[in-house]
mmCIF file of all heavy atoms in Angstrom:
data_model
loop_
_atom_site.group_PDB
_atom_site.id
_atom_site.type_symbol
_atom_site.label_atom_id
_atom_site.label_comp_id
_atom_site.label_asym_id
_atom_site.label_seq_id
_atom_site.Cartn_x
_atom_site.Cartn_y
_atom_site.Cartn_z
ATOM 1 N N SER A 872 7.612 -149.967 -119.739
ATOM 2 C CA SER A 872 7.814 -148.516 -119.595
ATOM 3 C C SER A 872 7.129 -148.035 -118.318
ATOM 4 O O SER A 872 6.268 -148.742 -117.755
ATOM 5 C CB SER A 872 7.263 -147.729 -120.791
ATOM 6 O OG SER A 872 5.848 -147.702 -120.771
ATOM 7 N N GLY A 873 7.482 -146.828 -117.904
ATOM 8 C CA GLY A 873 6.799 -146.201 -116.782
ATOM 9 C C GLY A 873 5.357 -145.877 -117.154
ATOM 10 O O GLY A 873 4.449 -145.963 -116.318
ATOM 11 N N THR A 874 5.149 -145.514 -118.408
ATOM 12 C CA THR A 874 3.799 -145.222 -118.892
ATOM 13 C C THR A 874 2.913 -146.460 -118.763
ATOM 14 O O THR A 874 1.771 -146.376 -118.284
ATOM 15 C CB THR A 874 3.860 -144.775 -120.373
ATOM 16 O OG1 THR A 874 4.840 -143.738 -120.495
ATOM 17 C CG2 THR A 874 2.519 -144.267 -120.856
ATOM 18 N N ALA A 875 3.449 -147.617 -119.162
ATOM 19 C CA ALA A 875 2.699 -148.876 -119.051
ATOM 20 C C ALA A 875 2.412 -149.194 -117.579
ATOM 21 O O ALA A 875 1.319 -149.673 -117.238
ATOM 22 C CB ALA A 875 3.486 -150.015 -119.702
ATOM 23 N N LEU A 877 1.958 -147.064 -115.112
ATOM 24 C CA LEU A 877 0.857 -146.191 -114.680
ATOM 25 C C LEU A 877 -0.476 -146.695 -115.236
ATOM 26 O O LEU A 877 -1.477 -146.753 -114.525
ATOM 27 C CB LEU A 877 1.116 -144.755 -115.154
ATOM 28 C CG LEU A 877 2.229 -144.000 -114.425
ATOM 29 C CD1 LEU A 877 2.690 -142.790 -115.242
ATOM 30 C CD2 LEU A 877 1.771 -143.551 -113.037
ATOM 31 N N THR A 898 3.974 -132.098 -115.056
ATOM 32 C CA THR A 898 4.635 -133.401 -115.067
ATOM 33 C C THR A 898 4.848 -133.787 -116.509
ATOM 34 O O THR A 898 4.402 -133.092 -117.428
ATOM 35 C CB THR A 898 3.777 -134.447 -114.323
ATOM 36 O OG1 THR A 898 4.379 -135.746 -114.459
ATOM 37 C CG2 THR A 898 2.352 -134.527 -114.850
ATOM 38 N N PHE A 899 5.533 -134.892 -116.708
ATOM 39 C CA PHE A 899 5.661 -135.434 -118.060
ATOM 40 C C PHE A 899 4.276 -135.915 -118.503
ATOM 41 O O PHE A 899 3.500 -136.419 -117.696
ATOM 42 C CB PHE A 899 6.681 -136.581 -118.057
ATOM 43 C CG PHE A 899 6.944 -137.134 -119.418
ATOM 44 C CD1 PHE A 899 7.370 -136.308 -120.449
ATOM 45 C CD2 PHE A 899 6.743 -138.480 -119.692
ATOM 46 C CE1 PHE A 899 7.599 -136.819 -121.725
ATOM 47 C CE2 PHE A 899 6.977 -138.994 -120.964
ATOM 48 C CZ PHE A 899 7.403 -138.163 -121.971
ATOM 49 N N ALA A 901 3.042 -138.358 -119.815
ATOM 50 C CA ALA A 901 2.648 -139.761 -119.593
ATOM 51 C C ALA A 901 1.733 -139.930 -118.389
ATOM 52 O O ALA A 901 0.871 -140.820 -118.379
ATOM 53 C CB ALA A 901 3.891 -140.626 -119.423
ATOM 54 N N THR A 902 1.886 -139.078 -117.376
ATOM 55 C CA THR A 902 1.036 -139.181 -116.182
ATOM 56 C C THR A 902 -0.436 -139.022 -116.581
ATOM 57 O O THR A 902 -1.286 -139.814 -116.170
ATOM 58 C CB THR A 902 1.414 -138.079 -115.157
ATOM 59 O OG1 THR A 902 2.830 -138.044 -115.000
ATOM 60 C CG2 THR A 902 0.756 -138.327 -113.821
ATOM 61 N N VAL A 944 2.574 -136.949 -108.237
ATOM 62 C CA VAL A 944 3.854 -137.194 -108.904
ATOM 63 C C VAL A 944 4.955 -136.741 -107.940
ATOM 64 O O VAL A 944 4.873 -135.619 -107.410
ATOM 65 C CB VAL A 944 3.948 -136.382 -110.211
ATOM 66 C CG1 VAL A 944 5.294 -136.601 -110.895
ATOM 67 C CG2 VAL A 944 2.800 -136.746 -111.150
ATOM 68 N N LEU A 946 7.883 -135.254 -108.065
ATOM 69 C CA LEU A 946 8.614 -134.617 -109.156
ATOM 70 C C LEU A 946 10.061 -134.293 -108.786
ATOM 71 O O LEU A 946 10.331 -133.859 -107.657
ATOM 72 C CB LEU A 946 7.878 -133.343 -109.573
ATOM 73 C CG LEU A 946 8.232 -132.803 -110.965
ATOM 74 C CD1 LEU A 946 7.708 -133.726 -112.055
ATOM 75 C CD2 LEU A 946 7.675 -131.402 -111.149
ATOM 76 N N ASP A 970 3.057 -141.720 -108.851
ATOM 77 C CA ASP A 970 3.964 -141.664 -110.002
ATOM 78 C C ASP A 970 5.373 -141.452 -109.447
ATOM 79 O O ASP A 970 5.764 -140.342 -109.077
ATOM 80 C CB ASP A 970 3.570 -140.529 -110.957
ATOM 81 C CG ASP A 970 4.453 -140.494 -112.213
ATOM 82 O OD1 ASP A 970 5.596 -140.984 -112.142
ATOM 83 O OD2 ASP A 970 4.002 -139.968 -113.257
ATOM 84 N N CYS A 972 8.177 -142.183 -111.120
ATOM 85 C CA CYS A 972 9.098 -142.319 -112.250
ATOM 86 C C CYS A 972 10.385 -141.505 -112.078
ATOM 87 O O CYS A 972 11.377 -141.777 -112.738
ATOM 88 C CB CYS A 972 8.383 -141.941 -113.542
ATOM 89 S SG CYS A 972 7.139 -143.160 -114.018
ATOM 90 N N GLN A 973 10.356 -140.491 -111.182
ATOM 91 C CA GLN A 973 11.568 -139.688 -110.937
ATOM 92 C C GLN A 973 12.083 -139.865 -109.512
ATOM 93 O O GLN A 973 12.938 -139.094 -109.070
ATOM 94 C CB GLN A 973 11.258 -138.205 -111.194
ATOM 95 C CG GLN A 973 10.759 -137.950 -112.616
ATOM 96 C CD GLN A 973 10.658 -136.478 -112.963
ATOM 97 O OE1 GLN A 973 10.969 -135.607 -112.161
ATOM 98 N NE2 GLN A 973 10.227 -136.198 -114.193
ATOM 99 N N PHE A 993 7.092 -146.957 -111.423
ATOM 100 C CA PHE A 993 8.448 -146.492 -111.706
ATOM 101 C C PHE A 993 8.763 -146.618 -113.193
ATOM 102 O O PHE A 993 8.229 -147.491 -113.880
ATOM 103 C CB PHE A 993 9.469 -147.320 -110.919
ATOM 104 C CG PHE A 993 9.453 -147.043 -109.441
ATOM 105 C CD1 PHE A 993 8.522 -147.676 -108.621
ATOM 106 C CD2 PHE A 993 10.344 -146.154 -108.868
ATOM 107 C CE1 PHE A 993 8.494 -147.419 -107.245
ATOM 108 C CE2 PHE A 993 10.323 -145.889 -107.496
ATOM 109 C CZ PHE A 993 9.402 -146.523 -106.691
ATOM 110 N N SER A 994 9.678 -145.757 -113.653
ATOM 111 C CA SER A 994 10.211 -145.836 -115.014
ATOM 112 C C SER A 994 11.691 -146.178 -114.935
ATOM 113 O O SER A 994 12.396 -145.692 -114.040
ATOM 114 C CB SER A 994 10.055 -144.485 -115.718
ATOM 115 O OG SER A 994 10.840 -144.444 -116.911
ATOM 116 N N PHE A 995 12.138 -147.000 -115.869
ATOM 117 C CA PHE A 995 13.578 -147.267 -115.991
ATOM 118 C C PHE A 995 14.103 -146.782 -117.336
ATOM 119 O O PHE A 995 15.042 -147.355 -117.899
ATOM 120 C CB PHE A 995 13.870 -148.769 -115.784
ATOM 121 C CG PHE A 995 13.307 -149.311 -114.503
ATOM 122 C CD1 PHE A 995 12.314 -150.281 -114.528
ATOM 123 C CD2 PHE A 995 13.729 -148.823 -113.278
ATOM 124 C CE1 PHE A 995 11.770 -150.780 -113.352
ATOM 125 C CE2 PHE A 995 13.188 -149.307 -112.085
ATOM 126 C CZ PHE A 995 12.206 -150.289 -112.126
ATOM 127 N N TYR A 996 13.477 -145.733 -117.848
ATOM 128 C CA TYR A 996 13.988 -145.037 -119.040
ATOM 129 C C TYR A 996 15.475 -144.746 -118.772
ATOM 130 O O TYR A 996 15.856 -144.459 -117.637
ATOM 131 C CB TYR A 996 13.175 -143.740 -119.201
ATOM 132 C CG TYR A 996 13.499 -142.929 -120.422
ATOM 133 C CD1 TYR A 996 12.979 -143.269 -121.670
ATOM 134 C CD2 TYR A 996 14.327 -141.813 -120.325
ATOM 135 C CE1 TYR A 996 13.283 -142.515 -122.786
ATOM 136 C CE2 TYR A 996 14.636 -141.059 -121.445
ATOM 137 C CZ TYR A 996 14.114 -141.424 -122.674
ATOM 138 O OH TYR A 996 14.418 -140.675 -123.782
ATOM 139 N N LYS A 999 16.687 -142.084 -116.230
ATOM 140 C CA LYS A 999 16.126 -142.024 -114.872
ATOM 141 C C LYS A 999 17.183 -142.464 -113.850
ATOM 142 O O LYS A 999 18.220 -143.010 -114.220
ATOM 143 C CB LYS A 999 14.859 -142.901 -114.788
ATOM 144 C CG LYS A 999 13.732 -142.440 -115.720
ATOM 145 C CD LYS A 999 13.080 -141.139 -115.264
ATOM 146 C CE LYS A 999 12.279 -140.452 -116.356
ATOM 147 N NZ LYS A 999 10.937 -140.954 -116.565
ATOM 148 N N GLU A 1006 13.757 -149.375 -122.879
ATOM 149 C CA GLU A 1006 12.584 -148.986 -122.096
ATOM 150 C C GLU A 1006 12.359 -149.967 -120.939
ATOM 151 O O GLU A 1006 12.694 -151.139 -121.035
ATOM 152 C CB GLU A 1006 11.327 -149.007 -122.987
ATOM 153 C CG GLU A 1006 11.430 -148.190 -124.265
ATOM 154 C CD GLU A 1006 11.048 -146.725 -124.078
ATOM 155 O OE1 GLU A 1006 10.726 -146.312 -122.953
ATOM 156 O OE2 GLU A 1006 11.089 -146.000 -125.087
ATOM 157 N N GLY A 1007 11.748 -149.478 -119.862
ATOM 158 C CA GLY A 1007 11.390 -150.359 -118.748
ATOM 159 C C GLY A 1007 10.562 -149.628 -117.713
ATOM 160 O O GLY A 1007 10.565 -148.393 -117.652
ATOM 161 N N GLY A 1008 9.819 -150.394 -116.908
ATOM 162 C CA GLY A 1008 9.018 -149.802 -115.836
ATOM 163 C C GLY A 1008 8.606 -150.862 -114.843
ATOM 164 O O GLY A 1008 8.832 -152.064 -115.073
ATOM 165 N N HIS A 1095 16.654 -136.525 -109.046
ATOM 166 C CA HIS A 1095 16.623 -136.941 -110.452
ATOM 167 C C HIS A 1095 16.988 -135.725 -111.299
ATOM 168 O O HIS A 1095 17.762 -135.818 -112.243
ATOM 169 C CB HIS A 1095 15.251 -137.479 -110.832
ATOM 170 C CG HIS A 1095 15.110 -137.719 -112.299
ATOM 171 N ND1 HIS A 1095 15.978 -138.533 -112.992
ATOM 172 C CD2 HIS A 1095 14.253 -137.217 -113.217
ATOM 173 C CE1 HIS A 1095 15.645 -138.520 -114.270
ATOM 174 N NE2 HIS A 1095 14.605 -137.734 -114.439
ATOM 175 N N TYR A 1122 9.049 -128.869 -116.882
ATOM 176 C CA TYR A 1122 8.752 -128.975 -118.306
ATOM 177 C C TYR A 1122 8.341 -127.595 -118.773
ATOM 178 O O TYR A 1122 7.733 -126.850 -118.006
ATOM 179 C CB TYR A 1122 7.661 -130.030 -118.529
ATOM 180 C CG TYR A 1122 8.156 -131.394 -118.087
ATOM 181 C CD1 TYR A 1122 7.999 -131.816 -116.780
ATOM 182 C CD2 TYR A 1122 8.835 -132.228 -118.977
ATOM 183 C CE1 TYR A 1122 8.499 -133.043 -116.367
ATOM 184 C CE2 TYR A 1122 9.320 -133.459 -118.569
ATOM 185 C CZ TYR A 1122 9.166 -133.854 -117.263
ATOM 186 O OH TYR A 1122 9.678 -135.056 -116.838
HETATM 187 C C1 LIG B 2447 9.612 -140.693 -117.271
HETATM 188 C C2 LIG B 2447 8.302 -140.384 -116.673
HETATM 189 C C3 LIG B 2447 7.144 -141.105 -117.014
HETATM 190 C C4 LIG B 2447 7.088 -142.105 -118.134
HETATM 191 O O1 LIG B 2447 8.024 -143.125 -118.075
HETATM 192 P P1 LIG B 2447 8.450 -143.881 -119.440
HETATM 193 O O2 LIG B 2447 9.284 -145.012 -118.938
HETATM 194 O O3 LIG B 2447 9.191 -142.913 -120.277
HETATM 195 O O4 LIG B 2447 7.191 -144.355 -120.094
HETATM 196 C C5 LIG B 2447 5.974 -140.824 -116.323
HETATM 197 N N1 LIG B 2447 5.933 -139.883 -115.370
HETATM 198 C C6 LIG B 2447 7.015 -139.148 -115.041
HETATM 199 C C7 LIG B 2447 6.897 -138.118 -113.963
HETATM 200 C C8 LIG B 2447 8.228 -139.363 -115.691
HETATM 201 O O5 LIG B 2447 9.288 -138.625 -115.369
#
Side-chain angles (χ1 to χ4, degrees):
S872 73
T874 309
L877 288 162
T898 174
F899 184 56
T902 313
V944 178
L946 199 69
D970 183 335
C972 290
Q973 302 189 1
F993 289 83
S994 166
F995 306 116
Y996 184 80
K999 298 289 162 82
E1006 306 273 2
H1095 171 56
Y1122 297 88

